[in-house]
Amino acid sequence: MIAPGAKAGIAGWLEERLGLSAIREFASHKTVPVHSATVWYYFGGITLFLFIIQVLTGMLLLLYYRPTPAEAYESVQFIVTRVEFGWLVRSVHSWSANLMILAAFIHMFSVVFLHAYRKPRELAWLSGLALLGLAMAFGFSGYLLPWNKVSYFATKVGTDMAASVPVIGEALARFLRGGDEVGGATLTRFFGFHVAVLPGITTMLLVVHLALVQKAGMSTPPWLAADKIRSMKFFPNFFLRELMAWYAALGVLGSLAALFPWDLGEKADPFASAPAGIRPEWYFLAPFYTLKLVPAHVWKFEGELVGLLGFALLAVFWVLLPFWGVTKEGMVRTRWVTGAGVALLSYLVTFSLMGYFK
Amino acid sequence: MRTIVLAILACASALAADTCVECHSVLEGPLQKPAALFPKQDVHARHNFTCVDCHGGDPTQTDPDASMNKAKGFKRGLNRTSIPALCAKCHSDANLMHKFAPQQRVDQYAQYQTSVHGKLLAKGDDTVATCVDCHSVHDIREVKDGNSPVHPLRLPETCARCHSDAELMTKHKIKSDQFAEYRTSVHWEALAKRGDLSAPSCASCHGNHGATPPAVSSVAAVCGTCHVLYENLYNKSPHQPVFSSMGAGGCTVCHGAHAIQHPGPSMLAGENAVCAQCHDAASNGGAEAIKMAVAIDKLSAELERAGGLLEKARSAGMEVSEAQMKHGEGKEALLKARVAVHAFRAAPVENAANAGMAIAAETLKAGEQALKERDSRRVGLALSLITILITLAGLWMAIRVKDSQGEAAGPARR
């Protein structure tokens, strides 16, 4: 039991050095709008929560994981069969990675449909999209790490696609693989990306994204009259609600991890032929299936190249949404943006399902 | 009349070197067939052989009398008895064959002459198979070609064209049910149903060009070309001298010749046991057979039980791949026990089965532990979910308290 005097002394000592009262002051004045779409505000926080889970479980996995073709599969097998609660840590890591990307997608589309990208939040939109890209890069690099048959061949397909990019394709594929083929160098490289490069960039960008969100405050849909919007205090009212969402997410995550432990599959054999029905993780399924549908040649160009060019244009169009989605006068092109959002969402859902079932 | 006129016109207009094909292609019926088949489907045409290489004549002449002139070596309608020697003209010439198929053997004719077919043909019996009966004529394909009548998947039917002909076979005093029997066998199942090209068909046991029924004394050696371990054990077993003295053909005594079925412990003990045909259950031999059957049955059942549990655990998401690999070793032990039966003594079978039983027990334990672990995970999940629900309820109550205490904040920013 700390005496009240000592407690005040410690608080004063910290205040002198950290200036925590400024943060307390900021938190006490921060508010969150209350309206019919307030529920979508929770998904940014849920994504953050799942990222934290990723970091924590990833650190635990690092204690045993060995990034070499000879040991990677066996070390993961050791984690899930011999290490106390290793199965849970690995399963939670895999499930939370997928749930995090799902939550990030929901967060992105909620921003689009609530038009929260508009001035002055363009940089928050851009940093958010970059974070989504990083999350997918985490997924792509982490998928290979157990060194199982499916992940090995999916990485082969993925890096082959990178090789189709004009001019820099070959160099890009070589950079990713660390050689001409997916092998030990690729595994070491992907491990480095997954546990050092990507976390470093993501953490910095995450800080920027959160700072931008705090700076601009929570956006409200443009169709709501400002004077009719109620609000609640961020702390403790919204914070407690967010905490509930995190607990609910933890319950879902734990249930999935315990009832459907993430499969380890068979160890990769680079000399074996590719198994039938090889496909990437679900969040890459839509572009993967689209590229499969594109004919080998479109006019004078290679079909895959045309497909990749199409995706690049789509990405640019999407990234620039805050700029073409708002008129010079600052009015939101609601119909255009909502239409584009619905079209993209429909495309992603339909093609992902087709890619999964076909 | 119309055909003859057309043929003359075709020959007259043919500027190509091979007038055989030009003229015969406008004929009808059997005379047209070679011209329709040979250029497109025959492997010889692909290597630039032409009609004259077998039939003689002069393909540069447009006049039929000049092109099919006996003075130019033309042979009208080849005699069946002359066919093997005619084919051998090239196929026994190592220098020539080396140009087209360097790895192909050149002793087919020599082998044929040792075969039942070849010996009968030499005696003037032209109802026996010659080269064209198996390989076809004018549309001869490489053996590896799926449409070739001697492709491994089609060979049994090709042999059966003659050997299932009861009338023809009666003439030669042999049975005609071999193909019907073969179609019930494990070998046919492997070949036709699983598409295993290495599965035995007629030629695997009888030879192809030198086709002859294996002698009784060499049956084990013939089966042993694939089933090496079984042959070794059989040759050292007490059955070998007994079967030999009986004039019985080794493996076929228990397994039959063409209708070879899936072997199993029921062959050793029980009502339909093959052992029981000679050994009374109360005799030493009968008792040994029963011991072997019991050991194999027991191991098989234990492995099945362990495999079922491991599969159940695997489908529940448990990582049991190491135990499943170990289970594979148990199956190998079962296989060894089954092979050891051919020593016709219980001890080797029981030794192999005991090794398998130890593995079955180990994997069974692994399966049980995995399922136990699955159950404990579910209990842990339930407890965690209860804790989370209680926390959520607490948070909800805290929110209600805070909401009732708090006042509305300022207007929201856009």
Side-chain angles (χ1 to χ4, degrees):
Chain A
M1 186 82 182
I2 303 170
K7 203 174 168 183
I10 293 168
W13 190 88
L14 285 173
E15 176 58 36
E16 239 179 330
R17 282 149 188 84
L18 300 173
L20 296 174
S21 61
I23 299 169
R24 271 202 301 277
E25 179 68 10
F26 175 79
S28 68
H29 288 104
K30 185 174 166 58
T31 60
V32 176
V34 180
H35 50 80
S36 58
T38 299
V39 66
W40 299 108
Y41 293 149
Y42 296 108
F43 280 92
I46 290 173
T47 312
L48 175 64
F49 168 68
L50 292 168
F51 177 71
I52 294 166
I53 297 275
Q54 284 283 282
V55 173
L56 295 176
T57 51
M59 287 194 296
L60 291 173
L61 291 174
L62 265 178
L63 298 177
Y64 293 95
Y65 178 73
R66 293 176 193 153
T68 65
E71 296 176 300
Y73 180 86
E74 284 75 8
S75 65
V76 180
Q77 196 172 44
F78 182 81
I79 289 169
V80 296
T81 54
R82 302 273 190 277
V83 177
E84 200 75 30
F85 290 107
W87 66 273
L88 183 63
V89 174
R90 195 240 165 183
S91 199
V92 164
H93 189 75
S94 302
W95 272 111
S96 61
N98 285 273
L99 291 178
M100 181 182 79
I101 290 175
L102 179 67
F105 267 109
I106 295 173
H107 181 49
M108 180 187 77
F109 279 107
S110 72
V111 166
V112 172
F113 294 129
L114 297 177
H115 305 282
Y117 49 81
R118 65 192 191 278
K119 186 184 172 184
R121 299 182 178 84
E122 295 93 334
L123 289 176
W125 166 260
L126 294 176
S127 57
L129 277 191
L131 282 168
L132 178 63
L134 285 167
M136 290 167 88
F138 263 117
F140 185 62
S141 55
Y143 195 45
L144 179 69
L145 300 188
W147 199 248
N148 61 31
K149 200 190 264 185
V150 178
S151 70
Y152 174 83
F153 285 102
T155 306
K156 220 169 156 63
V157 173
T159 50
D160 279 346
M161 280 182 186
S164 308
V165 174
V167 189
I168 58 159
E170 285 300 325
L172 179 65
R174 181 171 266 278
F175 168 72
L176 287 172
R177 292 174 187 152
D180 291 331
E181 291 293 331
V182 174
T186 322
L187 183 61
T188 320
R189 204 160 274 220
F190 273 38
F191 176 69
F193 292 149
H194 195 76
V195 305
V197 180
L198 293 173
I201 300 172
T202 305
T203 307
M204 284 190 288
L205 205 56
L206 190 60
V207 170
V208 171
H209 186 71
L210 291 173
L212 288 167
V213 171
Q214 298 314 314
K215 170 84 174 60
M218 305 293 265
S219 164
T220 52
W223 54 80
L224 293 178
D227 54 343
K228 289 184 180 169
I229 301 173
R230 291 185 301 116
S231 64
M232 69 171 116
K233 283 185 172 178
F234 177 83
F235 195 86
N237 305 57
F238 185 81
F239 177 79
L240 288 174
R241 284 174 170 83
E242 184 73 58
L243 210 54
M244 274 188 80
W246 288 20
Y247 263 102
L250 183 67
V252 171
L253 180 60
S255 303
L256 288 171
L259 296 176
F260 309 103
W262 207 262
D263 190 26
L264 179 56
E266 285 176 50
K267 186 177 179 175
D269 178 3
F271 299 108
S273 51
I278 194 83
R279 58 177 176 226
E281 286 278 61
W282 62 270
Y283 38 87
F284 291 119
L285 269 180
F288 174 75
Y289 186 65
T290 309
L291 287 175
K292 278 180 92 173
L293 290 182
V294 176
H297 286 92
V298 179
W299 193 43
K300 289 179 181 174
F301 304 102
E302 269 189 41
E304 197 164 294
L305 182 63
V306 174
L308 288 174
L309 191 70
F311 288 129
L313 289 174
L314 184 66
V316 171
F317 172 76
W318 197 244
V319 166
L320 297 177
L321 184 142
F323 307 102
W324 62 259
V326 181
T327 64
K328 282 179 185 171
E329 295 76 37
M331 296 295 288
V332 179
R333 291 193 171 101
T334 323
R335 284 184 186 174
W336 281 100
V337 174
T338 306
V342 169
L344 182 64
L345 186 60
S346 310
Y347 160 72
L348 289 176
V349 171
T350 312
F351 276 67
S352 297
L353 289 174
M354 284 164 77
Y356 186 81
F357 289 109
K358 285 200 172 179
Chain B
M1 186 63 182
R2 183 176 160 270
T3 310
I4 294 167
V5 172
L6 278 172
I8 291 168
L9 284 173
C11 296
S13 63
L15 295 174
D18 195 348
T19 56
C20 310
V21 174
E22 293 292 336
C23 300
H24 277 265
S25 61
V26 294
L27 295 174
E28 286 175 355
L31 289 173
Q32 189 208 34
K33 207 177 165 190
L37 293 175
F38 185 76
K40 292 175 189 163
Q41 298 185 12
D42 201 295
V43 65
H44 298 99
R46 216 170 66 224
H47 290 303
N48 298 323
F49 286 88
T50 61
C51 310
V52 292
D53 291 305
C54 295
H55 293 281
D58 184 354
T60 62
Q61 299 297 319
T62 53
D63 177 5
D65 288 333
S67 61
M68 295 188 285
N69 192 326
K70 278 188 181 173
K72 291 187 176 175
F74 178 71
K75 300 179 208 88
R76 187 182 296 276
L78 290 167
N79 189 331
R80 279 180 62 79
T81 52
S82 68
I83 288 171
L86 178 68
C87 298
K89 215 172 62 179
C90 295
H91 281 275
S92 295
D93 183 342
N95 288 326
L96 181 73
M97 289 309 296
H98 190 264
K99 291 178 191 168
F100 306 103
Q103 291 187 325
Q104 199 174 102
R105 294 170 62 156
V106 288
D107 62 347
Q108 295 95 334
Y109 185 47
Q111 283 204 29
Y112 179 75
Q113 285 171 311
T114 68
S115 74
V116 175
H117 297 140
K119 284 176 183 168
L120 289 174
L121 190 79
K123 287 178 188 167
D125 181 353
D126 68 354
T127 62
V128 295
T130 67
C131 315
V132 295
D133 294 301
C134 301
H135 290 277
S136 189
V137 62
H138 300 130
D139 61 344
I140 298 170
R141 297 161 189 267
E142 287 176 289
V143 177
K144 66 185 176 190
D145 185 328
N147 288 320
S148 165
V150 290
H151 181 271
L153 290 178
R154 297 187 64 196
L155 185 69
E157 279 103 334
T158 300
C159 297
R161 280 210 307 262
C162 296
H163 283 273
S164 291
D165 182 339
E167 199 182 324
L168 182 64
M169 289 303 111
T170 308
K171 224 175 96 182
H172 291 102
K173 295 178 186 160
I174 56 176
K175 287 161 66 180
S176 58
D177 60 354
Q178 299 94 332
F179 184 54
E181 283 195 347
Y182 175 72
R183 280 167 66 98
T184 68
S185 74
V186 284
H187 294 148
W188 166 263
E189 189 183 307
L191 181 77
K193 295 184 184 165
R194 297 206 301 270
D196 180 354
L197 299 184
S198 67
S201 63
C202 317
S204 314
C205 302
H206 296 278
N208 42 24
H209 299 102
T212 312
V216 162
S217 58
S218 62
V219 166
V222 168
C223 299
T225 54
C226 296
H227 301 285
V228 184
L229 292 173
Y230 301 79
E231 186 203 357
N232 289 343
L233 288 169
Y234 169 75
N235 283 339
K236 291 175 195 162
S237 78
H239 277 150
Q240 198 277 336
V242 178
F243 288 174
S244 290
S245 67
M246 287 162 59
C251 316
T252 59
V253 175
C254 301
H255 294 281
H258 297 104
I260 297 163
Q261 302 299 304
H262 279 286
S266 63
M267 286 179 74
L268 297 167
E271 279 179 29
N272 302 317
V274 287
C275 302
Q277 290 171 10
C278 303
H279 298 282
D280 193 284
S283 68
N284 282 344
E288 288 283 292
I290 290 168
K291 277 186 194 171
M292 290 192 280
V294 168
I296 290 173
D297 262 340
K298 210 171 149 190
L299 175 58
S300 184
E302 280 303 290
L303 282 172
E304 200 174 319
R305 200 167 141 227
L309 268 189
L310 288 175
E311 183 50 34
K312 198 173 167 188
R314 193 203 61 79
S315 59
M318 306 303 294
E319 170 53 37
V320 286
S321 60
E322 279 179 77
Q324 282 182 318
M325 201 175 278
K326 192 81 190 165
H327 187 254
E329 289 173 25
K331 284 182 176 173
E332 274 175 35
L334 178 63
L335 191 65
K336 281 181 188 166
R338 284 175 174 162
V339 172
V341 167
H342 296 85
F344 303 107
R345 286 186 296 111
V349 177
E350 286 173 338
N351 286 344
N354 287 341
M357 287 295 284
I359 295 171
E362 190 184 327
T363 52
L364 188 73
K365 196 177 165 193
E368 283 169 349
Q369 275 177 345
L371 288 175
K372 208 173 153 189
E373 166 78 14
R374 178 204 62 179
D375 293 342
S376 70
R377 285 182 189 185
R378 290 182 178 176
V379 171
L381 172 67
L383 292 173
S384 307
L385 287 178
I386 290 169
T387 312
I388 287 173
L389 283 172
I390 292 170
T391 312
L392 283 173
L395 282 169
W396 178 242
M397 285 191 283
I399 287 168
R400 292 196 65 172
V401 170
K402 292 290 175 190
D403 280 355
S404 64
Q405 287 171 353
E407 66 281 9
R413 281 191 278 184
R414 296 188 70 91

